[in-house]
Amino acid sequence: MAPKLVVSCAILFHLLFFCGTSSYAASSINLIKYGAKPDGKTDSTQPFLKAWAVACKSATAATVYVPYGRYLVKAVVFRGPCRNRITVRIDGTIVAPTDYRALGNSGYWILFTKVNRVSVIGGTLDAKGAGFWACRRSGKNCPVGARSITFNWANNILVSGLTSINSQLTHFVINSCNDVKVQNVKLYAPDQSPNTDGIHVQSSTGVTITGSTLQTGDDCISIGPGTRNLVMSSIKCGPGHGVSIGSLGRDLNEAGVQNVTLTNSVFSGSDNGVRIKTWARSSNGFVKNVVFQNIIMNNVKNPIIIDQNYCPSNQGCPRQSSGVKISGVTYKNIRGTSATQEAVTFDCSRSSPCRGITLHDIKLTYMNKAATSSCKNVGGTSRGVLVPKSCL
Ligand SMILES: *[C@@H]1O[C@H](CO)[C@@H](O)[C@H](O)[C@H]1NC(C)=O
């Protein structure tokens, strides 16, 4: 009898404990309770904000729960700092208003700012970007557009299992953050949708992106100034413009990019594979300690490219030479097919040539033959199997 009694007491104790503590009540916060409607039509912005406010004040870890269904949400800011850890668990889909102008002028749709210890688990974001893209294509006067989900000045963040479709601009922005883990996200926008980058990282340290599928109209991942200790692995990229460090060096004074790794990834039908891109302008920016390793290219136009001559419409680049110093970039075990003859392009700056570039086991073919490579203002070493022949 004694053990049974102990168990019953334990259960009773827990019941009393849970019922009697108000902080427990705050720890799971269902959006429906705050007036959200899963009909895709009723504006659920305020309920979302109310639920966030409750979670943010909770002394114990809290979960904001978004059940199955479609929730219409306008531009919304989730502000911190909050008292404890917050998980936003999303089983449903968050949809933007049908009229693109509703989000268009705010620059963001879902914005987390100054938050710490926040996890976003699951969920689908549908920004309904097609109207906005059509406006831009028509050359009309359009609003600036909205990024779908943004973290600004945030630390200790996890985003796992999130899907985002048809963003107006970039799907997912990580800006001025520390310690961000992104895993198993899926970001989709049509091949020709303008400026729909997948993930943009800048001014951030310790970002990890793993196991994600990025099919977009612009860069799968773009890496801006001030990015340090970025790890990307098991990425499927394409269609889209590939993984790009840059554009960098637009400004004279600009933070550099360092310690960036991309491994075990596949590019399919993308414009670029791994790219470093800088403006042909004076700048004290830099790129150093970058590794691209174990990568498969399927029909990629520029599988390996450094382009330091970026200058759209040839405007604002008085000396046509980039000041960004690129050094210590390793390309190892990169294989597959190029969609153009020139699979390896190093077009570095006249005034700051690329240094310490390493090619190690590269096998890239074009129409079943060896592709070609081209080198300008670049120094480095080559090892192992090299198809095309190294021009370093
Ligand atoms: C590079 O980044 C990784 C991942 O954040 C980190 O573990 C490592 O210590 C960094 N290396 C240097 C030299 O900063």
Side-chain angles (χ1 to χ4, degrees):
M1 280 318 277
K4 221 177 199 169
L5 192 67
V6 169
V7 169
S8 321
C9 286
I11 290 169
L12 190 63
F13 173 77
H14 278 281
L15 283 173
L16 287 171
F17 180 78
F18 288 151
C19 301
T21 329
S22 61
S23 62
Y24 181 75
S27 71
S28 186
I29 301 152
N30 190 324
L31 215 58
I32 301 281
K33 256 179 57 185
Y34 292 84
K37 295 265 183 313
D39 60 7
K41 293 190 197 115
T42 309
D43 185 356
S44 296
T45 312
Q46 288 310 315
F48 221 135
L49 281 170
K50 280 181 200 155
W52 176 264
V54 173
C56 194
K57 279 187 215 124
S58 170
T60 56
T63 298
V64 172
Y65 178 59
V66 183
Y68 285 100
R70 292 171 70 79
Y71 301 84
L72 176 68
V73 172
K74 296 182 177 162
V76 63
V77 185
F78 298 116
R79 229 174 263 285
C82 299
R83 289 182 69 191
N84 206 315
R85 195 172 280 283
I86 297 180
T87 301
V88 181
R89 178 174 293 282
I90 311 174
D91 283 337
T93 298
I94 297 176
V95 298
T98 307
D99 185 343
Y100 63 87
R101 288 170 296 191
L103 298 183
N105 283 318
S106 59
Y108 58 83
W109 178 21
I110 296 163
L111 171 65
F112 290 88
T113 187
K114 298 182 178 164
V115 298
N116 301 317
R117 296 184 293 172
V118 168
S119 303
V120 176
I121 311 292
T124 300
L125 308 178
D126 180 358
K128 299 188 179 170
F132 178 70
W133 311 328
C135 176
R136 295 193 57 187
R137 285 200 197 96
S138 72
K140 275 191 291 199
N141 229 343
C142 306
V144 292
R147 298 162 181 94
S148 284
I149 181 166
T150 302
F151 287 85
N152 278 340
W153 300 291
N155 302 309
N156 205 329
I157 302 299
L158 169 68
V159 176
S160 178
L162 178 76
T163 301
S164 169
I165 62 173
N166 298 337
S167 54
Q168 288 190 350
L169 297 170
T170 303
H171 287 269
F172 186 173
V173 176
I174 297 164
N175 175 41
S176 302
C177 295
N178 281 299
D179 187 11
V180 179
K181 290 193 169 46
V182 177
Q183 54 193 37
N184 306 322
V185 303
K186 298 186 170 73
L187 309 178
Y188 302 116
D191 197 359
Q192 297 303 327
S193 50
N195 301 113
T196 53
D197 294 86
I199 304 174
H200 178 71
V201 181
Q202 67 174 30
S203 309
S204 294
T205 302
V207 176
T208 303
I209 304 170
T210 57
S212 294
T213 301
L214 314 172
Q215 302 180 341
T216 62
D218 207 316
D219 295 333
C220 290
I221 301 175
S222 63
I223 298 152
T227 303
R228 293 173 67 148
N229 305 356
L230 168 65
V231 177
M232 301 165 281
S233 66
S234 305
I235 304 294
K236 284 189 197 150
C237 166
H241 295 180
V243 168
S244 186
I245 298 179
S247 310
L248 301 176
R250 185 177 185 156
D251 297 327
L252 179 59
N253 288 309
E254 197 181 84
V257 171
Q258 59 185 304
N259 191 15
V260 172
T261 307
L262 172 71
T263 57
N264 303 336
S265 293
V266 180
F267 291 79
S268 301
S270 51
D271 282 3
N272 304 287
V274 291
R275 173 168 63 162
I276 301 174
K277 179 180 173 191
T278 76
W279 284 75
R281 287 165 63 89
S282 299
S283 174
N284 56 18
F286 62 85
V287 177
K288 63 182 185 189
N289 302 339
V290 176
V291 177
F292 299 114
Q293 188 171 355
N294 303 340
I295 294 170
I296 295 175
M297 303 284 178
N298 295 317
N299 203 31
V300 173
K301 284 189 192 133
N302 303 294
I304 294 175
I305 180 165
I306 297 179
D307 172 11
Q308 293 210 265
N309 281 300
Y310 181 58
C311 192
S313 326
N314 270 322
Q315 276 176 6
C317 311
R319 291 194 291 130
Q320 290 288 330
S321 174
S322 174
V324 176
K325 291 186 173 52
I326 299 176
S327 64
V329 183
T330 297
Y331 302 87
K332 187 172 175 189
N333 189 25
I334 299 183
R335 291 159 197 277
T337 56
S338 176
T340 66
Q341 183 146 33
E342 189 174 297
V344 178
T345 305
F346 296 127
D347 183 6
C348 293
S349 165
R350 217 170 351 101
S351 54
S352 332
C354 300
R355 291 285 171 242
I357 307 298
T358 303
L359 289 169
H360 187 174
D361 291 336
I362 308 293
K363 192 172 179 213
L364 293 165
T365 58
Y366 169 64
M367 312 251 287
N368 296 317
K369 295 196 194 100
T372 61
S373 60
S374 118
C375 286
K376 258 192 232 159
N377 307 315
V378 53
T381 53
S382 337
R383 288 196 274 161
V385 177
L386 291 165
V387 177
K389 262 190 226 130
S390 173
C391 57
L392 288 171

